[in-house]
Amino acid sequence: MGRPPDGNPDSQLDDESVEQQRRTARIAGGLYLALFVIAPFAYFYVPGELFHDDAATTYAQISADTGLFAAGMIAETVIVGIEVALAGLLWKLFRPVSEALALSSSLARVGEAFIQTVNVLLAGAVLIVVDRGGLSGLTVDQRDEVVGFLVDTIGFGVMVWGLLFGLHLLLLGVLVRRSELMPRWIGSLLLVASVGYLAQSYAHIVDTDLDGFFENLVVVLSVPGELAFAGYLLVRGTRRNRPLPEER
């Protein structure tokens, strides 16, 4: 008699599914941690160096360092690509928990990436005016005002995509807590992070004088949850020994 094949076929399939799930999680974790490197440059360092309350000063600073401004634009295009990739990976990872919540969460992240793309387009308009002779028929004061308006619009765009990102984190936190992929406390931290982004965005709409306080608040509330989430995905992948069952 021939020797029966080793192992249970269903068990082997489960092992393959778990390994694929963990590979997806680790790719998502690596991309998420990449955002921790790129995003501070694009959203904190570049605006801090070049953008000012006075439109003329902003124009002068961008004109004096167009290379830094262009580098910020390039960084944001990389961020957009990562955000879209993460939306797909996280949908794949959490779809078995709740297809509706996973889809809604990923669509919010894609919407965030769309607004970021619009901001890159607006930044391109600034570059055209400052460095490439755009609107050369305007007076110096008019040109400064146009650049100031575009920069202010970019800043408002950041608050708009912050709303979408806050919604994404809210839904993602619920998914994490409902799944068995990682500890529930990570999901709770993501819920706290979502409050930070939503509060910052709504506060900017109400009163821009509150921006300084809420910029610090969102860092305090968001970094622990997002870092724990990304780090767990990258290092551990998932904690399940069997694939998640499909939602019924």
Side-chain angles (χ1 to χ4, degrees):
M1 293 180 62
R3 184 180 176 181
D6 293 334
N8 185 310
D10 290 338
S11 177
Q12 291 176 1
L13 286 174
D14 284 349
D15 289 343
E16 291 175 3
S17 297
V18 168
E19 187 57 36
Q20 184 180 45
Q21 187 178 78
R22 285 178 173 158
R23 185 164 54 248
T24 299
R26 288 188 173 115
I27 293 171
L31 289 174
Y32 214 128
L33 287 176
L35 291 177
F36 275 91
V37 177
I38 303 170
F41 173 76
Y43 298 129
F44 291 97
Y45 180 74
V46 174
E49 291 292 310
L50 302 180
F51 298 169
H52 300 271
D53 292 335
D54 177 64
T57 304
T58 297
Y59 184 100
Q61 288 293 110
I62 296 173
S63 180
D65 202 347
T66 54
L68 178 61
F69 186 77
M73 291 176 61
I74 293 170
E76 189 156 15
T77 63
V78 174
I79 289 170
V80 168
I82 292 174
E83 295 287 8
V84 172
L86 274 173
L89 290 168
L90 294 177
W91 174 80
K92 180 180 180 181
L93 197 60
F94 288 98
R95 181 172 61 89
V97 181
S98 170
E99 188 165 4
L101 285 178
L103 179 60
S104 298
S105 177
S106 290
L107 285 176
R109 192 148 199 157
V110 170
E112 171 205 353
F114 174 77
I115 301 300
Q116 289 169 337
T117 303
V118 173
N119 272 3
V120 174
L121 181 62
L122 292 171
V126 171
L127 195 61
I128 289 171
V129 173
V130 172
D131 191 52
R132 301 176 186 178
L135 302 180
S136 57
L138 298 181
T139 66
V140 171
D141 288 342
Q142 290 172 332
R143 182 195 59 197
D144 291 345
E145 287 300 317
V146 168
V147 169
F149 171 77
L150 290 172
V151 167
D152 287 345
T153 305
I154 291 170
F156 201 88
V158 172
M159 296 302 112
V160 173
W161 68 247
L163 287 173
L164 291 167
F165 188 58
L167 175 60
H168 164 75
L169 290 179
L170 177 65
L171 297 174
L172 185 61
V174 173
L175 287 166
V176 169
R177 287 183 55 81
R178 287 178 56 176
S179 77
E180 299 177 18
L181 294 174
M182 60 185 62
R184 288 167 59 88
W185 60 265
I186 294 179
S188 298
L189 286 178
L190 290 175
L191 293 176
V192 172
S194 74
V195 172
Y197 281 100
L198 293 171
Q200 181 192 29
S201 295
Y202 282 119
H204 182 80
I205 293 172
V206 173
D207 186 355
T208 56
D209 290 338
L210 300 173
D211 284 352
F213 171 77
F214 281 95
E215 282 177 5
N216 294 324
L217 180 67
V218 76
V219 171
V220 172
L221 295 183
S222 66
V223 169
E226 291 189 79
L227 191 58
F229 178 70
Y232 194 94
L233 288 176
L234 181 63
V235 175
R236 183 73 184 270
T238 63
R239 69 177 182 179
R240 289 186 58 86
N241 294 321
R242 293 177 63 82
L244 285 171
E246 293 291 331
E247 180 193 38
R248 295 182 180 179

